[in-house]
Amino acid sequence: MPRRPDGRAALLALAAGCGLGLEPYDLGDEPPGREVTEGVDMKGNTYALDLPAAAVLRPAALRRMFEEVSRDTLLVNVPEQGATSFLLAAAVAAADGGQDACETVYTLGPGTWEDTTFSAEGDKIAILFDTRHVLVEEPALTATVDADTEAWSDVRLAGDLDTRQIRGVAFPEGEEPCDRIEAEGDTCHACASDGVLTCTDLLVSLPASLVDVDFDPEPAGCR
C-alpha cells in the first residue's frame, strides 16, 4: 500500500480542493444549503471509542489484551466532509475524556460510503497500553452511522500490529506474543518495516459514543 501524506498535509490538500472525492464544493468556503449526497453528515462530530470494552476478534490470543491493559478512549473527530467523502482525525484521549494536546493526531481517509456504512484507512494510529503507545499500522476503521442520530454502530478497527510493542505489557517479560498467538490458531507474519516474523493481523470491535468534546485536528501541542 502506498504511503499516505501526514495529517496536516492531507487536511491542507483537501481544503484546497485537490480532487480527492470531496467535490462539488470547496471545503474551505462552503456555500449555503450544504448537502451530503452519500452517507450521513458527521462533520464536526467527535466519537469516543471505548478501548477497555473492545472485543478482539483476531487473533484469539489477544482477546483479553484491551480489557487488561488499554487505557480509556480513543477520540475520533470528523474535521472535514464533502458530498461523497470525509476525513477522520484520531488521538488517544486525556484521562478526563477530553483531547490531550500532547497526543499525536492521526488522519484516516478520505473515507468512502456504502449506503450508511463507511470505511476509512490511514497510515497508522496509536492506542495506549498502560503508559506505552502502541502503533497499529495500515489501520482501517469501519462503522455504520445512524442517519437520524449520527451515532456509530458495528465499529471495527483492523490493522497490522507488531507484537514486539506489547512484550512485557500485554504479555509477561520473556514471553513471545507470537508463540501464544500461533498456539491458539492464528498466525504472525513478516513485518513490512524489517521482515521480522512478529506482526499479526488485528481486528477489534469497539463500542462508540457521540461525545461533546472540543477537538482540534491540528493541536498546538504541549505547553
Side-chain angles (χ1 to χ4, degrees):
M1 185 178 292
R3 301 292 294 179
R4 299 174 177 81
D6 63 29
R8 180 178 176 83
L11 289 172
L12 291 175
L14 291 171
C18 65
L20 290 178
L22 299 179
E23 303 295 350
Y25 43 79
D26 185 346
L27 289 170
D29 185 20
E30 294 171 9
R34 175 179 181 276
E35 181 182 0
V36 170
T37 60
E38 290 187 11
V40 178
D41 190 350
M42 307 180 293
K43 184 175 179 181
N45 289 355
T46 300
Y47 299 84
L49 306 188
D50 188 351
L51 293 174
V56 178
L57 306 178
R58 186 179 64 239
L62 302 188
R63 284 177 180 160
R64 293 179 300 278
M65 182 173 69
F66 283 82
E67 180 181 352
E68 293 177 354
V69 296
S70 62
R71 251 184 54 183
D72 297 331
T73 57
L74 182 71
L75 294 177
V76 182
N77 176 259
V78 188
E80 298 290 354
Q81 183 165 1
T84 62
S85 193
F86 59 92
L87 284 181
L88 298 177
V92 173
D96 64 2
Q99 184 179 11
D100 186 341
C102 295
E103 292 289 346
T104 300
V105 176
Y106 297 90
T107 299
L108 286 76
T112 58
W113 293 98
E114 184 174 341
D115 194 13
T116 58
T117 297
F118 73 75
S119 177
E121 299 180 355
D123 180 56
K124 57 188 173 183
I125 196 171
I127 51 182
L128 198 62
F129 289 91
D130 194 12
T131 59
R132 183 184 301 180
H133 286 78
V134 172
L135 292 177
V136 178
E137 304 283 348
E138 307 291 350
L141 184 68
T142 62
T144 298
V145 188
D146 187 281
D148 295 323
T149 67
E150 300 165 32
W152 288 1
S153 61
D154 299 321
V155 183
R156 300 287 188 274
L157 175 65
D160 202 35
L161 175 69
D162 186 343
T163 62
R164 286 174 288 188
Q165 300 177 94
I166 58 175
R167 288 171 176 164
V169 179
F171 293 85
E173 290 286 355
E175 182 174 358
E176 183 58 56
C178 279
D179 289 345
R180 189 189 299 182
I181 288 171
E182 294 179 348
E184 296 191 24
D186 293 293
T187 61
C188 284
H189 57 262
C191 297
S193 60
D194 57 13
V196 179
L197 298 171
T198 54
C199 284
T200 190
D201 293 325
L202 178 70
L203 177 63
V204 298
S205 172
L206 291 153
S209 57
L210 183 60
V211 293
D212 184 13
V213 170
D214 290 331
F215 191 98
D216 184 351
E218 297 180 28
C222 300
R223 291 181 174 85

